[in-house]
Every structure is written in structure tokens, then in C-alpha cells.
Amino acid sequence: MVKFGVNQSVNRVEDDRLITGSGQYTDDITLDGQLYAYMLRSPVAHAKILSIDLEEAKDAPGVVDIITGEELAADNANELPCMIPLKNRDGSDRADPGHPVLATDEVRYVGDNIALVIAQSLSQAKDAAELIFVDFDELGAVTDTAKAANSGQPLVHQNVPENKAFDWEHGSADELGSIFDQAAHVTSVDLINNRVVVNSMEPRGLIADWDPAEEKMTIRMGTQGGWVLKGLLAKAILHVPEEQVRVITPDVGGAFGMKLFFYSELASVVWASRKIGKPIKWIGERSDAFLSDTQGRDHVTKAELAFDDNHKILGMRVHTYANLGAYLSSFGPMIPTMAALKVLPGVYDIPALHYHCTGVFTNTVPVDAYRGAGRPEAIYVIERLMDTAANELGIGPEELRRKNFIPVEAIPYTTATGCIYDSGEFERVMDKALENAAWNDFASRRAASESAGKMRGMGMCFYIEATAGNPTETATIRFEENDIVTLAVGTQSSGQGHSTAYAQVLADRIGVPFENIRIIQGDTDKIKSGGGTGGSRSLTTQGPAIHKASDEVIDKGMQLAGHFLEAAAEDIEFSAAEGEFSIAGTDRKIGILEVAHRARGLGQLPEGLAEGLDSEASFTVEAFTYPNGCHIAEVEIDPQTGTTEVVRYVIVDDFGTIVNPALVRHQVIGGIGQGIGQALTENTVYDDDGQLLTGSFMDYGMPRADDVPLDMLYETIEIPCTMNPMGVKGCGEAGCIAAPPAIINATVDALKEKGIQHIDMPATPLKVWNLLQQAS
């Protein structure tokens, strides 16, 4: 086995640099002569703009320029495109009301962008922004997801009737109606999937730097991959060929989907830098993040399962109202529709399904992908249904799941949504989780809690995820003069440990020492293409591309080693474990780094030989992967205060072949922390006037370290995926998908002795206490 190769818990190579303050984030970068930008945002949720008076602000000390929407519109640069087309149920296109970079005639949420102030210093830009007078004619606001499409509600966009962004469906309502009419039992739940603020460690920010001599724009910013943003900037804002735009991504302090998207600050700062001819820096503050970063979730759902008299599922129907916010974000329409649909049946044999999703506009921050992006919302629906049904049918939740699992012999299995599950042993995974959780001994733990005055509950979630994103990735391997091997990749780390995992894959494949490998990422000039990071796609696409490029290295090495060892290439063998080429049946050998060194020194190589070992290859996945697993949570509730504590948490996940067990474990636990936040503490609240009431950490319930249980048992069962040569499945979003339903199922289990059958997220102490008072 190669030291630090695949399936070893190698320590992250990034950590020493990052935890000692040697990392370089966007705000750490200062360019000569740079100016500073500050965004003036709307203080009201909905209003017509009667006028914008800039005169006093323009004369303020240090002010260089103030950019408005009218100026951008005159250059055809005032539109943020939504990249997801969608058909309504009647065949018409989704609504397309437009999303201005800077508002010109109307603002539609608190935080909507009005003007960009550019000054010699940030404090001067802020002071000048206070001198801008905007005359508003306030309009009515709508913020309630469930009511937004109701008759008589204020319209967010006058050209979008009933505030309906789209009215989309999958499957036949008539077919499901007939199935439900004949069912022996129907379970129905009404669910709220609460809106959350992303709150990455590092807020958004960028530095735009226009070089007039080269007529080239360079942007330094935290992204999840710069290639899509590069294309959008070139086409929609700058109107130049893509090669005139470069995006450099330094260290990124968390992203979770939110840093994939095309924002007003990016578009306006880039445009202003070209206009002024100087670098301009904009760094968002935490208050900016609450008011302008895309937010997540915010669904209101009615879901039903039909069962026969043997407790087998006959069909599923779901209607969701999905809040899109005031505008369509980059990928917004895809999240509650196509992304959620993929895993809506979960891991169960559901022969028929109808999913109806109504997207609504409201006077709130736009909503887009947040860790899991549609899959957490879908799994929450099916797993709450399964627990509710088990309770109604009088059988154990594990027994109902066992009766309805897709059996191993049916895999590959095509679901009612058209997805093909290529691998999975769901019953085996659940059985291991039940064993690790001591499921059958729960009564004794419940009794111990009761003796301490607490209510204890246990709940499970069996999730499945469909990874997503660009199916193609490229890997470029270069052998440098100092025996360093560089690997250029098109994905982008934002804390996941890519530099460690990819180096392990390459070391394992070509036998180069792990410590000799350097990962290059995040520069659209140095890397010609990339799909970025999102949807747990990184290793499933980038890993096989590294494998393919490594095969080219080995093929070239065979030829060169044959030349150096004076043997035919077909007589050469390669040992990845040793990193050596040898003549078969002899002890004559040469190391791979020596081959690269000698090939470089030869100058003109004999005809037919590769000039060196440098290689590049692309890989396209045939289909995405379906990681899955069973999570079991136990909670204790203090009936005197309503406080709910997660006291035990058991995880058994199937991620296929695992490259670095420690990295995977940390990814899962981090996701569970976010899932605990959504289940118990986090909630984005707007009042009826559209004012954000939870706009800071004083009001928004971020999960803390002591909300994550110390008693957490983690295990994986490796069932390789068949859709890529490495057998890997994505792992980055699993914890965030599984934790909310597991914790809410456990909470309901604790409360049901009081007759309480459901609680919506977040299960805050006040909400739990109120339910207990009502029940008593």
C-alpha cells in the first residue's frame, strides 16, 4: 500500500496553514491603488423608487463614483440571469420578471440593491451612502409562503399573476387519485421546511481589477468554481469574449451552495472597475450576509402516502409551495422541482408518484441551493411520512421501512421519478444502525430519563441523496523540475480537504510520494475548464479524471522506461506501490520521478517517445451517484422549559469506496451540526411588512458546539457505486439531509405520550413548551 494512499485517514495538508493564520482569503488581499465599494440597500421591502438624489453624496470626501441601475441599464448590463428554464403544468414557460443588478424603478425586499458607492476608503464610502436620498412610495408586501399565491395578496411583480413563479408537476394526478381511492390506509402530513440563512464563516467579497492595457478583467473572490461566473460576467455585464475575464479563487471559508451564484455586488463592482480603470474591493459584512446572501429551504408541503392492507406503499402525492424570494436566483427554480424530485421516494419501492410544486415570489431575500439543495427538503417529507404512518398503523418505524425498502435483488432500480439507483443495501445498513443504536434497549434509557424528569424519544431517518452538477471534469498532471508533481483540478475547495484527498488519489495511482504533490485550483486562466464544487460532485467526477490522467502518465512512462532500461515497452511493468517501472522478471527498475527527470534532460527524444510524463484527461460520469444511510437520533426534552437536547446520534452511511475516512467523518458531522441547527434552533423570520426580524446573531439561532452531541457513533458500509471507476459516492451533504428528520422524528417520539403527533422545525423551547401546555 502506498503511504498516504487511498482509504487512509491522512491528516489534512491544508490545516497547518489555515489554523496558523497563513491562509489567504479575499479580504487579506490588497492591490495597489485599490478603491473601496459599499452597497446602498433598500430599507423597505416593497416600494416604488420615485427618485434617487446623489448630489450631496457625490461631493462627499473621498468619493470617486456612484453607480446606479440606470447607468448599468444604458450599457445593457443591469440584468442577473436565471439559468434554469422550466415548463409549467400547462406547457407554458415559467415566469421571467427579471432581476436587476441595481434597482431602478422598484425595490422588492429589504436589502435590495440600489446604488454602489466607490471611494478612497470604506469609511468614506459608508459615510457617502448615508447622504443618498431615495424617495420611496411604499407598497404592500407579502412574505408568507403558504399565502403568497392567494387572491388579494400584494404582487411582487406586476407582470406575474398570483405571485406564481412556476406551477410545475411530475406524474399524473388522475392516476394517483385512483390509487388513493382504493387504498386501505392513507397517511397525510402538513410540513413546514423552515427558511435558513447560510452564514458561512467568511462573508462574500471580491476585488475586481481591470487592466486597460490588456483589456482584461481579473476578479479575486471566494467562489465554488469561477468558470460559470466568468462566462456570465463576460456575456451579461462586460460584453467581451470569455478569455478577457479571469476569476481567481483564494482560500474560501465555507460556501454551502451560496457562493455558486451571480450576485449584484459582483456584477456592479466588476462593471465599475472597468469604468474607473482601477481595482475595487467590496467585502460584505455579517449584516450584508443576512440581507443579501441567498437563503435556503422555505417550503410548505402537504404530503400523502397510500398503503395496501399489508402496509405496502401504493403511491405518494405531494404538493409543495416553494418560496423563491423576490427574484429568481441563478439556479433557484431547479431546487424545489428537479433536484427535490430525484429522491422524493427515498429508498422505498413506491410504484406511483405525483409531485406538484408551486414556486412563489415574496418580498424576501432570493432563495437558492443550500447544502443538499432540494434533497434535504424531499427526504424530510418522505421520512416524516414514514414515521407518521408507522404510528397510525401501529407498527414500529423500522418495521414499516423494512417492508417497503427497495430490495437488493431489484437493484439497479428505476424509481417513479426516473432515477436509477445503481447500488445499495438499505436493509443491511439499517440493521447495522439499529444494532449500533441499541434500538431494542431504548425502553431502559427512556425510563432513566423519566426518573430524571425528562422525556426521551428516539427517531430514525433513512436518507438517499442524488449527487448533482456538471458531469464532466478534467485533471492535468505536470512533473516539475524539483520533483514536485502538480495536479490542476476544476473543482474548488471551500473547506472540504480537496488538497489532501486528491493527493491521496494521485499518490495511490502513480506512486509519487504524497508530500511531493501540489494541488492547483481556483484560477480560470491556469485551468481551462471546471465544473466547480456543489452537489457532492467533486470526488465522483474529479477522482475518475485523476485516474484517467494517471493512466496516461503510466502509459508514457512505460515507453520512456523501456528506452532508459533498453527494453521493449511491452516488457515494462509498473508498480504503483513502489512508484517504479521495471523489466518483467528482472530486478532492473527506475522510479517514476527519475523517468520524468531524465526525460526532461534528454532534450530531443527519439521518435515515437512521449516528451515527458505530463498528461491531461477528462472524465464524464454516465449518471450521478446515490449515497445513502441510516441516522438514528435520541433526544431528551425538559418539560419545564421545553428545551430539546440531542443526547445520542448514530450514523451508518454508504458512500461507496472511501478515499479518506477521517475527511468523510468530518464532512458528515459538520453536516449534522447544520441539520441540528435547522431542526432545533434556526429560523428566518420576516414580519408582515417584510422586515427581517432575525437579521443578526443576536436574533438568529445559530447552532453552537454544545448543541452537537458528544455521544456520536459513526460507521460506514462500503457498497461501491457502479457509475464511476473508483466506486465512490458523494458525502458532503449527507449529514445535513439526514439530521433534521431524524431529530424531529425523535422529538415527536418523545412528545407522543402527551398526544402530540407533529412539531414543525425548528423545535425551539418555546414551541415545545407551548405544545406541552396545550396538551396538558
Side-chain angles (χ1 to χ4, degrees):
M1 179 183 290
V2 175
K3 184 181 180 183
F4 303 141
V6 167
N7 212 243
Q8 299 180 56
S9 291
V10 177
N11 290 333
R12 288 164 40 117
V13 299
E14 303 93 331
D15 284 355
D16 285 348
R17 177 174 61 83
L18 295 176
I19 65 178
T20 57
S22 300
Q24 187 183 61
Y25 298 88
T26 304
D27 198 23
D28 296 323
I29 301 170
T30 299
L31 302 182
D32 291 341
Q34 78 180 16
L35 303 174
Y36 295 82
Y38 179 78
M39 183 66 77
L40 177 68
R41 305 187 188 280
S42 173
V44 296
H46 198 192
K48 288 189 178 297
I49 297 175
L50 301 180
S51 64
I52 303 175
D53 186 348
L54 305 175
E55 293 308 311
E56 190 176 357
K58 283 185 173 180
D59 293 335
V63 171
V64 176
D65 203 350
I66 301 177
I67 309 298
T68 65
E70 287 187 358
E71 193 174 4
L72 292 176
D75 192 38
N76 193 28
N78 199 40
E79 190 69 29
L80 298 176
C82 173
M83 293 178 285
I84 304 299
L86 200 70
K87 292 290 185 183
N88 294 315
R89 293 194 293 166
D90 63 6
S92 62
D93 293 328
R94 62 157 172 79
D96 192 12
H99 184 180
V101 175
L102 299 175
T104 56
D105 58 349
E106 200 167 317
V107 291
R108 294 182 171 89
Y109 66 96
V110 172
D112 207 350
N113 308 281
I114 297 175
L116 186 75
V117 183
I118 298 144
Q120 298 289 343
S121 72
L122 178 58
S123 60
Q124 289 173 328
K126 286 183 174 182
D127 288 345
E130 292 187 4
L131 301 176
I132 298 174
F133 178 74
V134 184
D135 189 7
F136 294 111
D137 180 13
E138 288 198 48
L139 303 171
V142 57
T143 60
D144 191 312
T145 305
K147 297 178 181 178
N150 289 356
S151 175
Q153 291 293 315
L155 294 180
V156 180
H157 301 274
Q158 291 302 311
N159 59 345
V160 181
E162 300 178 295
N163 290 317
K164 288 185 179 179
F166 53 78
D167 186 26
W168 179 90
E169 72 176 351
H170 172 88
S172 167
D174 290 341
E175 178 189 355
L176 266 293
S178 177
I179 289 171
F180 273 75
D181 289 343
Q182 300 172 32
H185 178 82
V186 173
T187 288
S188 176
V189 295
D190 293 302
L191 303 171
I192 293 175
N193 207 293
N194 46 318
R195 179 186 282 234
V196 291
V197 176
V198 177
N199 282 316
S200 58
M201 180 183 75
E202 173 206 21
R204 288 188 298 114
L206 74 136
I207 305 172
D209 183 15
W210 174 255
D211 185 333
E214 291 191 11
E215 293 191 325
K216 186 162 187 175
M217 178 63 68
T218 299
I219 304 104
R220 296 167 174 85
M221 64 181 293
T223 76
Q224 290 177 235
W227 290 269
V228 169
L229 298 174
K230 165 188 170 119
L232 290 171
L233 283 167
K235 182 178 180 180
I237 305 300
L238 297 175
H239 311 301
V240 298
E242 286 192 24
E243 56 266 25
Q244 288 180 236
V245 179
R246 179 185 188 185
V247 179
I248 299 173
T249 301
D251 288 321
V252 181
F256 312 115
M258 178 268 294
K259 290 180 182 173
L260 276 169
F261 312 127
F262 196 30
Y263 289 94
S264 294
E265 296 86 359
L266 170 59
S268 56
V269 171
V270 164
W271 191 89
S273 176
R274 184 174 66 173
K275 177 190 176 184
I276 297 169
K278 288 188 175 183
I280 301 175
K281 184 176 190 176
W282 172 81
I283 299 294
E285 300 176 1
R286 188 59 60 185
S287 58
D288 289 296
F290 274 95
L291 292 175
S292 66
D293 292 355
T294 56
Q295 297 175 358
R297 316 298 190 234
D298 204 343
H299 292 183
V300 176
T301 297
K302 182 177 183 62
E304 299 170 285
L305 280 180
F307 292 88
D308 66 16
D309 52 11
N310 291 317
H311 303 155
K312 291 282 289 179
I313 299 172
L314 298 172
M316 178 182 187
R317 60 185 178 192
V318 178
H319 184 196
T320 288
Y321 284 92
N323 196 335
L324 280 301
Y327 302 104
L328 295 179
S329 180
S330 303
F331 301 101
M334 181 180 70
I335 308 308
T337 56
M338 296 171 281
L341 175 69
K342 288 182 179 180
V343 298
L344 194 55
V347 292
Y348 309 110
D349 183 11
I350 299 179
L353 179 146
H354 178 244
Y355 179 39
H356 178 195
C357 183
T358 305
V360 295
F361 288 116
T362 61
N363 296 111
T364 63
V365 174
V367 175
D368 210 314
Y370 169 65
R371 196 172 191 173
R375 282 89 79 192
E377 297 91 317
I379 293 301
Y380 186 69
V381 170
I382 183 61
E383 288 301 291
R384 283 297 296 128
L385 274 169
M386 291 300 284
D387 257 41
T388 304
N391 186 51
E392 292 174 356
L393 294 168
I395 64 175
E398 80 286 6
E399 182 183 350
L400 185 63
R401 286 172 170 84
R402 195 183 307 279
K403 283 188 174 185
N404 287 281
F405 277 145
I406 298 165
V408 173
E409 57 270 20
I411 293 176
Y413 175 90
T414 302
T415 72
T417 71
C419 291
I420 301 175
Y421 295 172
D422 68 288
S423 59
E425 298 181 23
F426 310 133
E427 189 169 7
R428 174 186 169 196
V429 169
M430 185 183 73
D431 283 342
K432 188 61 180 176
L434 294 173
E435 176 189 337
N436 292 353
W439 181 273
N440 292 331
D441 296 331
F442 173 68
S444 62
R445 298 193 296 277
R446 171 172 272 172
S449 295
E450 287 175 352
S451 66
K454 301 288 183 70
M455 303 165 65
R456 194 178 188 105
M458 181 164 62
M460 75 159 60
C461 165
F462 203 115
Y463 77 93
I464 190 164
E465 183 196 351
T467 57
N470 192 321
T472 301
E473 206 51 80
T474 300
T476 304
I477 301 170
R478 289 190 292 270
F479 288 74
E480 312 294 351
E481 292 188 4
N482 55 358
D483 284 346
I484 294 297
V485 177
T486 60
L487 171 62
V489 297
T491 55
Q492 177 62 53
S493 175
S494 57
Q496 298 93 335
H498 287 182
S499 291
T500 302
Y502 294 157
Q504 286 181 259
V505 174
L506 185 58
D508 193 78
R509 198 70 174 172
I510 65 173
V512 171
F514 174 84
E515 55 271 18
N516 287 44
I517 297 171
R518 303 288 182 271
I519 306 301
I520 297 173
Q521 61 177 348
D523 189 329
T524 62
D525 268 15
K526 291 182 178 179
I527 305 160
K528 65 182 182 182
S529 66
T533 292
S536 298
R537 71 176 291 272
S538 292
L539 194 60
T540 62
T541 50
Q542 192 70 70
I546 296 170
H547 269 218
K548 196 171 177 181
S550 298
D551 290 342
E552 288 193 14
V553 168
I554 294 167
D555 288 344
K556 291 178 179 180
M558 296 282 197
Q559 300 174 36
L560 289 165
H563 173 73
F564 297 136
L565 297 174
E566 299 179 336
E570 54 267 27
D571 292 331
I572 300 297
E573 295 177 339
F574 177 69
S575 168
E578 304 297 331
E580 292 175 338
F581 297 94
S582 62
I583 301 175
T586 76
D587 60 357
R588 297 184 61 200
K589 56 189 178 182
I590 184 171
I592 189 170
L593 292 176
E594 179 65 16
V595 169
H597 178 71
R598 291 178 64 176
R600 190 181 301 112
L602 281 178
Q604 186 66 39
L605 288 167
E607 185 176 353
L609 287 185
E611 295 182 1
L613 297 184
D614 294 357
S615 297
E616 180 177 279
S618 297
F619 176 81
T620 300
V621 296
E622 296 178 14
F624 291 110
T625 66
Y626 295 93
N628 61 88
C630 186
H631 290 208
I632 298 176
E634 286 188 41
V635 303
E636 274 191 339
I637 296 173
D638 183 345
Q640 300 301 314
T641 64
T643 301
T644 302
E645 180 184 1
V646 183
V647 292
R648 297 182 81 219
Y649 200 97
V650 170
I651 309 145
V652 178
D653 285 322
D654 165 21
F655 297 131
T657 303
I658 291 178
V659 170
N660 186 314
L663 288 184
V664 170
R665 181 177 186 273
H666 297 156
Q667 280 283 289
V668 173
I669 291 175
I672 289 168
Q674 285 179 284
I676 289 172
Q678 182 174 11
L680 297 180
T681 68
E682 296 186 55
N683 197 27
T684 308
V685 181
Y686 287 88
D687 70 12
D688 291 341
D689 294 325
Q691 291 293 330
L692 180 62
L693 301 182
T694 51
S696 75
F697 289 152
M698 294 292 290
D699 307 298
Y700 185 86
M702 284 288 286
R704 292 164 170 77
D706 61 358
D707 291 316
V708 179
L710 294 175
D711 190 358
M712 190 176 291
L713 183 61
Y714 173 78
E715 185 172 342
T716 59
I717 294 177
E718 297 187 30
I719 302 166
C721 167
T722 64
M723 294 302 180
N724 62 70
M726 293 180 64
V728 296
K729 305 174 184 177
C731 73
E733 296 163 299
C736 209
I737 295 171
I743 290 165
I744 293 299
N745 283 342
T747 303
V748 172
D749 184 56
L751 295 172
K752 69 182 181 183
E753 65 179 78
K754 302 294 186 182
I756 298 168
Q757 302 300 321
H758 179 68
I759 186 170
D760 281 315
M761 298 187 292
T764 60
L766 178 60
K767 190 181 293 183
V768 172
W769 188 86
N770 280 335
L771 283 174
L772 287 171
Q773 299 313 301
Q774 294 166 17
S776 65

